[in-house]
């Protein structure tokens, strides 16, 4: 059964196996290995698959991700706070969903409030839809209503996920389909029923 879990050391081996799957599929950008640039306020951060082999390094990485929900956590100046949640079945890492607490100009076009990725071996089971549905109350608690979710025009699975979760298509900009989803349960029901 799918749960959204905070990043934790219990997912160490499963996370690395998922990273291997993403890398083998040529989808390294979804492996959640960070390569954050340095700027005047942040020294930069590069997290590789190899650097996470150590249980201690992985635990520090998980704690770093959890801390990113805090407004003043260390990050590049143009990055925003985010709540990172991992899709899990027991101790098995299935993927992740990230809620960005506000939009920048770049996120307004490319990334939106929510980004998610399901490991290749776990696709086709509805995990993205379940995770997106479960993340909407998290967004509501953060005061985000509605939220922007984007996908590539040729990513039909993601497009269906967003639409099944109440996504209302706005437009396509710079190669990204943009949808808005109401996060308050009462408003989601009204959008679905048209009432």
């Amino acid at each position: 059964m799918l749960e959204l879990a905070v990043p934790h050391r219990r997912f160490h081996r499963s996370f690395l196996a998922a990273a291997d799957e993403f890398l083998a599929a040529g989808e390294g950008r979804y492996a959640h290995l960070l390569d954050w640039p340095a700027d005047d306020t942040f020294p930069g951060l590069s997290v590789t698959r190899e650097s996470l082999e150590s249980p201690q390094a992985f635990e520090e990485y998980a704690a770093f991700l959890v801390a990113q929900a805090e407004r003043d956590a260390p990050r590049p100046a143009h990055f925003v706070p985010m709540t990172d949640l991992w899709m899990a079945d027991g101790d098995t890492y299935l993927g992740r969903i990230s809620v960005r607490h506000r939009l920048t100009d770049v996120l307004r076009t490319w990334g939106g409030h929510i980004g998610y990725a399901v490991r290749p071996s776990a696709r086709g089971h509805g995990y993205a839809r379940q995770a997106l549905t479960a993340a909407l109350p998290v967004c509501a608690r953060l005061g985000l209503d509605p939220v922007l979710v984007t996908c590539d025009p040729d990513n039909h699975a993601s497009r269906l996920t967003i639409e099944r979760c109440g996504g209302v298509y706005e437009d396509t900009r710079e190669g990204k389909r943009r949808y808005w989803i109401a996060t308050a349960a009462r408003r989601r029901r009204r959008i679905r029923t048209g009432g």
Side-chain angles (χ1 to χ4, degrees), residues 68-82:
Q68 288 304 304
E70 301 300 322
R71 189 177 65 188
D72 56 355
R75 68 178 63 88
H78 63 285
F79 282 30
V80 301
M82 71 171 181

Side-chain angles (χ1 to χ4, degrees), residues 17 19 24 28 41 49 55 68 79 83 102-103 121 136 138-139 148 159 165 169 173 176 185 190 192-193:
T41 64
R49 161 65 174 81
Q68 288 304 304
F79 282 30
T83 298
R102 63 181 172 82
L103 295 177
S121 65
L136 294 177
V138 174
C139 297
L148 176 65
R159 179 179 173 179
C165 288
Y169 176 74
R173 294 184 195 175
K176 289 289 182 180
R190 187 169 45 230
R192 285 188 187 129
T193 63

Side-chain angles (χ1 to χ4, degrees), residues 51-102:
S51 71
L52 294 178
E53 275 293 332
S54 154
Q56 180 178 348
F58 187 82
E59 188 168 358
E60 291 170 3
Y61 166 74
F64 178 83
L65 291 176
V66 171
Q68 288 304 304
E70 301 300 322
R71 189 177 65 188
D72 56 355
R75 68 178 63 88
H78 63 285
F79 282 30
V80 301
M82 71 171 181
T83 298
D84 202 63
L85 298 168
W86 288 358
M87 300 175 211
D89 183 359
D91 290 342
T92 302
Y93 175 90
L94 301 171
R96 66 161 177 87
I97 189 162
S98 302
V99 177
R100 300 171 192 106
H101 296 192
R102 63 181 172 82

Side-chain angles (χ1 to χ4, degrees), residues 104-184:
T104 62
D105 288 341
V106 170
L107 290 175
R108 191 170 300 282
T109 298
W110 289 88
H113 287 102
I114 299 175
Y116 52 85
V118 176
R119 68 191 288 177
S121 65
R123 293 177 183 160
H125 299 283
Y127 295 135
R129 182 184 47 77
Q130 293 174 53
L132 182 53
T133 298
L136 294 177
V138 174
C139 297
R141 286 192 295 276
L142 290 167
L144 304 173
D145 187 27
V147 290
L148 176 65
V149 185
T150 70
C151 69
D152 293 334
D154 61 351
N155 189 338
H156 301 294
S158 190
R159 179 179 173 179
L160 284 175
T161 293
I162 296 167
E163 291 172 354
R164 288 177 179 162
C165 288
V168 177
Y169 176 74
E170 180 179 27
D171 61 15
T172 299
R173 294 184 195 175
E174 297 184 39
K176 289 289 182 180
R177 289 181 63 89
R178 300 170 69 254
Y179 293 86
W180 292 93
I181 304 175
T183 63

